[in-house]
Amino acid sequence: MRAVTRSATLAIAVLLVFVAPGVLAAQLSGSLSGPVVGYVFDGNAGNLRPLKGILGSATVGRPLETAFPVSQVLTLDASHVIVSTGADLSSVSLDAAKISPLAIDGLPANPTRAAASVKASAAAFYYADSNEVRIVTGLPQEPRYTGLLQLDRPLTHMAVNNDGTLVVYATSEPDGNALYAWSALTGSARFVTSASSVSAIAITRNGDAFVADRDANEVFAIWDAAGGAIRGLLADGSSGVSSPIGVA
């Protein structure tokens, strides 16, 4: 485990985002100048601001002009995002010289939750209305809809591995959360363990999962989540963990 985010230190993620299909390409390419290290998305204002300069010494630029409000953005890497564009989702290459959105067939817009893998080569999207998770692989250049999980309880958190063959997710239960692991090999999900209040899940490159439990003040692993799925404590209140909100 590389990092545990605690309540005492709030980690703020910078979102690299894009807001529109081809109609905004000229506007965006004309608005970007100088070194840009990332973008900040303001959900309340519905706009996107560039971070100009270098890491550790960057300034927030003026909002990029867009034809409509920005929403539902998932960061893949420094130059690729997935964004809701009308009726569907699109994988977008964000570059000062060329903006190229690519619609993902079979993925409706406005998912309730979204999660990208460690290498950003796969992503999972949860739709509360239908209570299902749809998986996309081949990101960012060749996105394709490759998997569907139908759930029987509301999902609260999830993570997906790099090839989209493993999803670890938490569901809401009367007495807390239940954690499940879905594998493309079996095509089904199985119960793994329980938790008080899952606040974050991450899947490593080798298929282990890390889980933060906010109410229990602990972070634990699920070793070999697609196989043996063995739970192991990594840190808890005795080591200073208090209301963890993230893992990476």
Side-chain angles (χ1 to χ4, degrees), residues 2-31:
R2 296 194 303 266
V4 176
T5 305
R6 303 179 181 178
S7 58
T9 303
L10 177 61
I12 301 176
V14 173
L15 298 182
L16 309 178
V17 295
F18 174 70
V19 277
V23 295
L24 295 183
Q27 295 174 337
L28 286 173
S29 61
S31 302

Side-chain angles (χ1 to χ4, degrees), residues 2 6 48 50 54-55 72 77 80 107 117 144 148 157 161-162 164 167 172 180 187-188 194 203 213 237-238:
R2 296 194 303 266
R6 303 179 181 178
L48 182 68
I54 60 175
L55 292 177
Q72 298 285 335
D77 57 31
H80 298 91
L107 269 292
S117 67
R144 52 190 178 276
L148 173 68
H157 289 82
N161 70 345
N162 288 325
V167 177
S172 179
Y180 293 85
S188 61
S194 297
I203 299 178
D213 189 333
S238 65

